[in-house]
Amino acid sequence: MTRVTDSSWKLTDAQLRAWLSGLLDGNSVVAPVEEDGVLLFRPIASAHQAVIKPSGKTRWSPKEFLFPRSEALYRYSFKGGTVQLEDPPVPEKHQVLFGVRSCDASGLVRLDEIFLSGTTDRLYSARRENTTVVSTACAAADQECFCTAVGYSPVGEEGSDVQLVPMDEGWLLRVLTDKGRDLVGDSAEGWKAATAKDGKRLPELEKKVSKQIERSPVNREWSKVLEEGFEHGAWDRLAQHCLGCSVCAYVCPSCSCFDMNHEANAWCGEQCRSWDACTFPLFTHHASGHNPRETKQERYRQRVLHKFAFREEDDEPFRCVGCGRCVALCPAGLDIVNTVAAAVEAIREEGADAAR
Amino acid sequence: MPLAEAIANPYQPSLVRIHDFSDETPDVRTLRLQFVDDNEAGGFAGWEPGQFGQFTVFGAGESVFALANAPWRPNGDQKSVPTIECTFRMVGKVTSALRAMSKGQVIGFRGPYGNHFPVEDWKGKDLVFIGGGIGMAALRSAMLDVINRKSEYGDILILNGARSVGDMVYTDEMPGWQEVDGVKVVRTVDPGGETESWDGEVGLLPNVFEGLGLDPENRIVIACGPPIMLHYLFLSLGKVGYSPDQVVTTLENKMKCGIGHCGRCYVGPFSVCRDGPVVTWAELNELPKDY
Amino acid sequence: MTEANVTAAQSGTGSVPENWQPHIVALVCNWCSYAGADMAGTTRLEYPANVRMVRFPCTGRMSPLMILRAFEQGADGVLVSGCHPGDCHYVQGNLVARRRFTIFRSLMDFIGIDLKRLHFAWVSAAEGHKWAKVVSEVTASVQEAGPLPSFDHPEGWDGIDLPEMAGSGPQELDEDQLNAIRDNLRKAASEVLTGGRAGSVIGYGPGSLANQTIPLFITEAADCEKLEWGQGCRNNLSTYVGSALDKHERVAVVAKTCDLGAISGLIREGQLRREQLVVIGVQCPGVRDGPGLATKCLSCSGDPHPICDLVVTVDGVRESCEDPSAAALDTPDARDEQIAYLETLPHDERWKYWQRQFGRCLRCYACRAACPLCYCSTCITDKHRPQWVPTSIDHPGNSTWNIIRAVHLAGRCSGCDECARVCPADIRLDLINRKLSLEVERQYGKIGLDPEKKSALVDFRMEDSEEFIL
């Protein structure tokens, strides 16, 4: 990703809308819209449908536009004693994800680390190639936000091609990558060039939002403590009230686990991939009846450690990007950061092997 | 879009035909499969023992089985057709549907996936293969590979345990294995699992192994079986003086994608389908007890 | 599918092609209707060929899930046919089914399926003529209804505005009063533990966000100081009672009045015994949902119900424990107006409303996890031999899931609204469940909080209404 920070402009609200309107020509544009009181990412047909605000997250992340909730991996039909296989078409129309918060943009990069590493996922990779991300930095934190506590930032550039920064009036638009530059194209004519003073807005916002987030940072060394304390009894009581649904995983910008099932009839079928979550009881249930994670506490422990531990290198970021949606939406009020802190405290105080 | 066109669909299987099968027990069957398309057969030639495949029953689903035949070693014979053998127990939706299939029918195959047994590193050493029940299926490709090249290896002992005589697999093949000089097969059933005509050992695998009194020096133990058996076996191995680096096993876990993406088979940071399934006891000790 | 049908399906609600023929699936019972259809055949009666039959042992075996599956797989209409009441080969299968079909039919109507598509009949083995007549009528009816509307996001639809829900809610409690209740609750809980009345107290503790609490499991009396009380006490704690009883002989649970229906339901269905519980009812200020009170609170007084063992108010704690058979739980529901409004809309508007809602469903199953009465060890969605509920997270599968869960709760749902609260997609599950409660009440009466009374859909009367059955 090439950083092109000298391509920055100041736009009025009207200019931003006009640019957004122009993007609809030739692209599928996905932006936050309000539907039945819920703020969600949806493809838009006109610029005025989009809700672009200085702060405030959508109910869940835009990851479904790279990693759909369900999709066919391949199709087949039964013909003449054998089977005919067919690849689904790769998505071809260029897609613009518009109004993606910094945490969500980072979440998309966490998804890249799964789907584009080792064996490349064909459908994901096609979608990713064909997507440009226009992110919005945050002027304020939501109640549940804690990005700065886990090493992320309200003005973070990770995963973004064009960054919109809310100013007192209007927006600062910063091209961050070649893809972003292509997206802006000729539209910049008529836009006012940004000044160095405008650029100061970024550290300003970072400082302001950090202050709003009243959470102690999650220390990077805690990953090792969590791993060593895998068998500690604290996990039993910390997740007693977990209900075993998957709201946390599904609204999470960086969760990417999926299930594969055949949906078929007597003539044809498809191998269908759908979102799945490690919090479900059947996730690791073997056909033999054995389940390595028999209890919901063991499953919750897995989720926490996957987000905050089990990193291959010490300098890798946490997989949790700090959006806080799991905290706000958990039916039982589980708080992943509090859980991590409490587990670390218990493991340190009582020793890694303290029994349940 | 040029990039996407160049990337193959990792999930589309190759078509393989059921060439033949044999029933090891009333619920365990070994399939012999051949590629429908010769080009795909050619591409499959380079797999190693310990790897696995995802087998698709169209309309039902996919299931993971170890590749159970000896790997295809190029020997100048261009006519030999790469086949795939796998041994499976009928236990759920996919395996029941697979069990109901007949010769000539077509299923799907994706693979080979995973890492493999380091058979080259074992050259010159004495080998003990310990298979519990259907765990033998995970060992078979390595066993056949080293038996086929016996001159390059030391003594080979195959210790096979099962709950009862009726649960033993590969019984027809074992006499053939023992015909090779330096290969010995010891079979045992759990107490209560013997029949009147049983001429093998009676006792739990770890106990029988200890009873053999084998010196750990220059020996590798390769063990596959149910978790409980492995647990007690490792205790025995430790007692007798084997170091964790001398013991190899395979991890089994629920798998779907086979390529490290779906997240299901992770044990801590270790993805069984991508980083395993073959692990040493030493590597296993580094992982959380999440399997 | 025929070309014409495919075209019709793809064009959505556009014009119906000239030669379109409805696809109708008939679920028929083996002993009566299947034989009756056979008789129609042997007596050479002519009737339309649009119907494909699926043979069942009994209408009692026909789950609404199967009717839904027919629609989800492309049927334009479904006919269900069985033995006449009193003639069932299995004695009472059709009598239980009759209630099930009544409720299911009203739900399908509510979500926008024109009832011209869904028919029920009693056809006996001797009634070959009736079978031919029923099939002719049903085919004509489905032909009139047209192709089934697609399970899809309604593009370019502006949505509808439901009427505001009215109600003042419980009496307002100021901070001092709430603190007093909280202190009384802490004292009551502590005494329950020290007095050995229960081994554990399930209550509400402080959460990490404003107005949020978390379920707390207290076994030491000193920890009762952690108990909280206020508008953030939203969970229905009866969800946790079952697992708590695995560890303790008796469990105390803090209960709002809206939580009690679930407790009665669990007792009624044999999941726990009354003696295993100490129910601590608490005076409730209503629970918060966004900027205001939750809908369920609007018509509630907040007073703790006398069937609880202990009643905690501003004034103190008292023993209670009224006989539940005498308990009345007669609160008007603020949602009834919204339900009535939806029922004034034409079917295609209703269909769009619900398809937009179901389209947001993520299949996170939070609704199931939070519901105290969803306690099946293996949920129908997790059964894969066969896979009844499609695994794909899209409109057909989501519609099937949400509808069948509502049907499984019909007559049992306590109206605690936890499902709607926890849904991250804000799907109005409360409206669906309330609609079914209303229908059950209308047809079969109320059972209130009495665990001795049977819930409507596991019961039947010979004289149950069947005016819609052909």
Side-chain angles (χ1 to χ4, degrees):
Chain A
M1 184 177 92
T2 336
R3 284 200 38 170
V4 187
T5 49
D6 58 351
S7 304
S8 305
W9 296 272
K10 265 199 73 172
L11 275 67
T12 62
D13 280 319
Q15 284 177 316
L16 184 66
R17 285 282 153 190
W19 180 50
L20 176 56
S21 205
L23 290 176
L24 285 162
D25 201 9
N27 297 304
S28 166
V29 179
V30 173
V33 303
E34 207 187 276
E35 182 182 288
D36 298 332
V38 183
L39 196 64
L40 292 175
F41 275 94
R42 279 223 186 274
I44 56 171
S46 70
H48 74 257
Q49 283 177 282
V51 175
I52 310 294
K53 295 190 296 185
S55 64
K57 302 189 297 287
T58 47
R59 190 62 65 87
W60 54 79
S61 83
K63 71 182 178 189
E64 61 186 309
F65 292 94
L66 293 182
F67 168 48
R69 296 179 213 174
S70 286
E71 65 178 327
L73 295 173
Y74 71 92
R75 299 199 165 94
Y76 54 89
S77 49
F78 302 105
K79 279 200 172 84
T82 184
V83 178
Q84 276 183 347
L85 305 175
E86 188 194 308
D87 271 347
V90 287
E92 278 183 356
K93 196 167 184 199
H94 193 84
Q95 166 175 260
V96 177
L97 300 183
F98 197 98
V100 176
R101 299 247 84 102
S102 314
C103 51
D104 288 337
S106 282
L108 298 179
V109 180
R110 301 287 83 77
L111 254 55
D112 291 344
E113 286 159 5
I114 301 287
F115 291 106
L116 302 178
S117 77
T119 314
T120 306
D121 186 298
R122 176 177 176 265
L123 291 167
Y124 181 91
S125 139
R127 238 175 242 117
R128 196 61 166 116
E129 264 295 299
N130 271 331
T131 298
T132 307
V133 176
V134 177
S135 69
T136 36
C138 303
D142 287 334
Q143 202 199 160
E144 67 274 6
C145 288
F146 57 87
C147 59
T148 51
V150 288
Y152 291 86
S153 164
V155 302
E157 296 173 1
E158 188 182 29
S160 172
D161 298 302
V162 176
Q163 187 186 46
L164 298 172
V165 184
M167 310 293 279
D168 289 323
E169 273 183 30
W171 300 83
L172 176 64
L173 185 151
R174 309 172 63 228
V175 166
L176 298 178
T177 65
D178 288 335
K179 245 190 194 168
R181 194 211 297 279
D182 288 339
L183 191 71
V184 168
D186 306 331
S187 312
E189 283 168 41
W191 292 352
K192 205 161 130 201
T195 63
K197 183 160 171 273
D198 293 326
K200 290 212 173 78
R201 178 75 165 165
L202 288 147
E204 246 173 56
L205 284 182
E206 179 153 40
K207 195 162 154 207
K208 174 177 168 230
V209 173
S210 293
K211 263 221 195 93
Q212 286 177 346
I213 293 171
E214 288 168 334
R215 291 262 196 188
S216 319
V218 176
N219 195 315
R220 300 183 70 74
E221 283 155 17
W222 290 0
S223 304
K224 280 282 168 291
V225 178
L226 290 173
E227 285 172 20
E228 279 155 19
F230 191 80
E231 302 288 334
H232 194 280
W235 292 109
D236 267 348
R237 56 180 166 76
L238 289 171
Q240 235 181 333
H241 49 301
C242 170
L243 287 167
C245 65
S246 69
V247 173
C248 51
Y250 287 3
V251 302
C252 174
S254 62
C255 271
S256 60
C257 287
F258 58 86
D259 194 7
M260 288 157 62
N261 286 294
H262 277 235
E263 305 251 309
N265 56 35
W267 300 274
C268 62
E270 63 183 36
Q271 165 88 293
C272 178
R273 149 163 82 194
S274 305
W275 288 2
D276 203 351
C278 58
T279 47
F280 284 135
L282 295 182
F283 190 67
T284 48
H285 184 263
H286 296 198
S288 63
H290 173 60
N291 190 341
R293 297 176 201 142
E294 197 81 67
T295 65
K296 67 181 181 200
Q297 287 92 332
E298 288 171 308
R299 295 189 283 272
Y300 188 69
R301 172 184 63 186
Q302 156 64 17
R303 185 149 197 289
V304 175
L305 261 57
H306 185 76
K307 293 292 173 196
F308 287 98
F310 298 148
R311 291 174 297 140
E312 311 230 320
E313 307 294 328
D314 279 333
D315 59 353
E316 268 178 28
F318 289 135
R319 289 192 192 88
C320 169
V321 299
C323 74
R325 288 184 179 98
C326 57
V327 177
L329 295 168
C330 173
L334 274 126
D335 185 311
I336 198 170
V337 179
N338 284 358
T339 304
V340 166
V344 166
E345 194 186 313
I347 293 165
R348 278 184 168 158
E349 266 181 33
E350 299 162 28
D353 301 319
R356 291 168 148 75
Chain B
M1 210 44 232
L3 182 68
E5 292 307 323
I7 294 175
N9 184 350
Y11 294 109
Q12 198 186 96
S14 301
L15 295 180
V16 292
R17 205 176 287 283
I18 299 177
H19 177 70
D20 200 358
F21 59 79
S22 51
D23 286 337
E24 312 289 343
T25 77
D27 60 348
V28 176
R29 171 174 288 184
T30 298
L31 292 176
R32 273 170 274 285
L33 306 159
Q34 285 178 354
F35 284 90
V36 167
D37 181 339
D38 287 330
N39 291 329
E40 284 176 337
F44 176 62
W47 63 274
E48 291 292 322
Q51 291 193 297
F52 66 92
Q54 282 274 16
F55 294 80
T56 305
V57 177
F58 294 103
E62 275 187 328
S63 195
V64 166
F65 308 129
L67 296 170
N69 48 326
W72 191 67
R73 302 267 176 227
N75 57 0
D77 175 5
Q78 297 305 312
K79 291 201 215 91
S80 65
V81 178
T83 58
I84 301 171
E85 286 179 22
C86 62
T87 302
F88 70 95
R89 164 175 282 133
M90 180 174 72
V91 78
K93 180 176 178 179
V94 177
T95 48
S96 296
L98 186 56
R99 182 76 190 213
M101 296 182 86
S102 25
K103 283 189 222 186
Q105 283 195 288
V106 165
I107 64 173
F109 169 78
R110 287 197 291 128
Y113 293 137
N115 67 349
H116 57 89
F117 289 117
V119 287
E120 301 304 313
D121 294 346
W122 296 345
K123 284 187 173 163
K125 298 195 195 289
D126 295 324
L127 305 176
V128 181
F129 290 94
I130 306 179
I134 202 175
M136 288 291 281
L139 294 174
R140 186 161 170 272
S141 68
M143 291 191 304
L144 293 179
D145 191 31
V146 300
I147 290 174
N148 286 346
R149 306 186 286 161
K150 177 65 181 68
S151 56
E152 299 176 67
Y153 296 91
D155 289 332
I156 297 175
L157 170 71
I158 297 166
L159 174 54
N160 175 210
R163 267 196 312 255
S164 71
V165 176
D167 289 313
M168 292 236 136
V169 298
Y170 307 136
T171 49
D172 294 340
E173 300 170 37
M174 286 179 186
W177 299 347
Q178 290 211 99
E179 275 171 18
V180 178
D181 199 23
V183 176
K184 185 162 170 234
V185 176
V186 173
R187 300 189 302 163
T188 178
V189 291
D190 289 354
E194 70 272 31
T195 56
E196 268 185 38
S197 54
W198 178 245
D199 63 348
E201 302 288 324
V202 176
L204 296 174
L205 256 179
N207 299 339
V208 173
F209 173 76
E210 264 186 75
L212 292 170
L214 296 166
D215 183 1
E217 178 74 31
N218 200 39
R219 204 179 301 272
I220 303 283
V221 173
I222 309 105
C224 288
I228 189 89
M229 174 211 110
L230 291 176
H231 171 74
Y232 286 109
L233 181 66
F234 288 172
L235 290 176
S236 294
L237 288 167
K239 220 162 62 173
V240 170
Y242 285 83
S243 86
D245 288 307
Q246 285 175 276
V247 181
V248 181
T249 184
T250 58
L251 265 178
E252 180 187 62
N253 213 344
K254 178 92 180 250
M255 300 190 215
K256 287 265 179 171
C257 71
I259 55 176
H261 288 185
C262 75
R264 200 171 241 86
C265 68
Y266 277 78
V267 179
F270 185 91
S271 157
V272 176
C273 70
R274 184 194 64 199
D275 308 320
V278 176
V279 284
T280 63
W281 183 19
E283 287 164 343
L284 209 54
N285 285 339
E286 296 299 307
L287 295 176
K289 299 267 177 298
D290 200 24
Y291 48 85
Chain C
M1 273 195 180
T2 61
E3 284 279 317
N5 285 49
V6 171
T7 322
Q10 284 171 345
S11 66
T13 53
S15 59
V16 180
E18 234 179 76
N19 47 354
W20 173 77
Q21 284 289 318
H23 281 322
I24 302 170
V25 172
L27 311 187
V28 300
C29 92
N30 175 63
W31 305 100
C32 284
S33 295
Y34 188 80
D38 198 45
M39 166 157 285
T42 53
T43 49
R44 305 280 188 266
L45 296 172
E46 280 195 13
Y47 57 88
N50 303 64
V51 167
R52 300 287 180 273
M53 297 211 294
V54 182
R55 186 162 55 129
F56 282 75
C58 178
T59 43
R61 176 60 185 103
M62 295 173 199
S63 163
L65 190 50
M66 298 156 192
I67 302 174
L68 278 170
R69 191 162 178 81
F71 283 122
E72 176 238 311
Q73 294 276 303
D76 303 296
V78 173
L79 164 63
V80 175
S81 183
C83 306
H84 289 265
D87 294 344
C88 177
H89 186 81
Y90 304 98
V91 183
Q92 65 206 40
N94 60 356
L95 299 173
V96 183
R98 181 166 55 181
R99 286 198 172 191
R100 192 184 302 149
F101 298 150
T102 307
I103 298 308
F104 177 66
R105 189 175 170 269
S106 75
L107 178 58
M108 293 299 264
D109 184 44
F110 184 60
I111 63 150
I113 296 273
D114 190 334
L115 289 179
K116 292 199 196 87
R117 304 183 183 283
L118 181 59
H119 297 271
F120 301 84
W122 304 136
V123 173
S124 82
E127 290 180 306
H129 280 273
K130 183 173 181 189
W131 176 253
K133 182 160 167 284
V134 163
V135 172
S136 302
E137 280 174 15
V138 167
T139 307
S141 174
V142 179
Q143 184 94 38
E144 206 191 308
L148 185 77
S150 57
F151 289 86
D152 227 331
H153 182 80
E155 290 299 335
W157 183 65
D158 288 325
I160 51 180
D161 290 317
L162 293 176
E164 283 284 312
M165 289 180 282
S168 53
Q171 72 167 108
E172 272 195 49
L173 297 169
D174 63 33
E175 207 182 311
D176 289 330
Q177 289 171 309
L178 280 174
N179 287 342
I181 299 173
R182 186 197 62 201
D183 294 340
N184 289 335
L185 171 60
R186 289 174 179 174
K187 197 155 113 331
S190 180
E191 281 169 13
V192 160
L193 289 172
T194 51
R197 245 173 122 168
S200 159
V201 173
I202 310 174
Y204 302 93
S208 53
L209 301 179
N211 268 319
Q212 187 200 50
T213 61
I214 62 169
L216 213 55
F217 305 89
I218 299 177
T219 48
E220 304 293 321
D223 289 333
C224 291
E225 284 306 298
K226 297 184 188 153
L227 285 170
E228 289 294 333
W229 189 246
Q231 289 189 332
C233 295
R234 301 180 297 178
N235 290 69
N236 186 335
L237 297 175
S238 57
T239 320
Y240 297 101
V241 171
S243 53
L245 284 172
D246 286 340
K247 300 187 206 147
H248 307 277
E249 251 184 65
R250 289 187 90 205
V251 160
V253 60
V254 175
K256 310 184 290 290
T257 301
C258 50
D259 301 331
L260 295 175
I263 294 177
S264 295
L266 289 167
I267 298 168
R268 179 178 298 128
E269 295 174 12
Q271 296 302 304
L272 37 100
R273 296 187 315 275
R274 182 67 180 87
E275 318 80 77
Q276 292 177 302
L277 287 180
V278 176
V279 184
I280 308 176
V282 188
Q283 186 170 5
C284 180
V287 296
R288 183 157 288 278
D289 183 13
L293 285 181
T295 318
K296 63 178 177 178
C297 305
L298 294 176
S299 19
C300 180
S301 68
D303 292 333
H305 201 284
I307 68 157
C308 301
D309 295 291
L310 293 171
V311 163
V312 176
T313 62
V314 176
D315 304 320
V317 184
R318 65 172 195 279
E319 297 281 331
S320 179
C321 206
E322 192 185 275
D323 179 3
S325 60
L329 193 64
D330 217 342
T331 39
D333 196 301
R335 279 160 295 210
D336 294 353
E337 217 184 297
Q338 291 195 333
I339 290 170
Y341 176 74
L342 278 169
E343 293 184 314
T344 62
L345 299 177
H347 282 90
D348 63 290
E349 282 289 288
R350 294 186 218 179
W351 181 252
K352 285 187 180 129
Y353 177 79
W354 287 110
Q355 281 303 300
R356 189 156 95 166
Q357 302 257 332
F358 296 150
R360 292 198 295 272
C361 177
L362 299 176
R363 306 283 278 284
C364 65
Y365 301 118
C367 47
R368 173 183 81 183
C371 176
L373 290 166
C374 269
Y375 53 74
C376 286
S377 52
T378 311
C379 177
I380 186 71
T381 58
D382 293 329
K383 293 198 200 265
H384 60 274
R385 293 169 87 175
Q387 185 76 44
W388 279 116
V389 182
T391 57
S392 45
I393 307 171
D394 53 20
H395 288 76
N398 297 351
S399 303
T400 301
W401 162 243
N402 285 291
I403 295 170
I404 202 57
R405 198 186 87 91
V407 170
H408 284 181
L409 282 168
R412 307 165 60 223
C413 170
S414 64
C416 72
D417 269 7
E418 278 285 85
C419 50
R421 171 183 78 88
V422 305
C423 177
D426 281 10
I427 299 171
R428 293 302 305 275
L429 300 169
D430 58 329
L431 291 180
I432 300 179
N433 289 319
R434 177 64 187 159
K435 163 66 189 168
L436 284 185
S437 290
L438 280 173
E439 193 64 24
V440 168
E441 272 174 32
R442 192 170 74 86
Q443 300 277 4
Y444 311 118
K446 282 175 86 131
I447 54 172
L449 292 173
D450 186 356
E452 299 300 308
K453 292 222 180 89
K454 274 175 111 163
S455 88
L457 291 190
V458 297
D459 203 358
F460 61 85
R461 301 277 180 279
M462 277 307 290
E463 62 273 13
D464 280 336
S465 96
E466 53 171 61
E467 76 266 354
F468 63 92
I469 300 187
L470 299 172

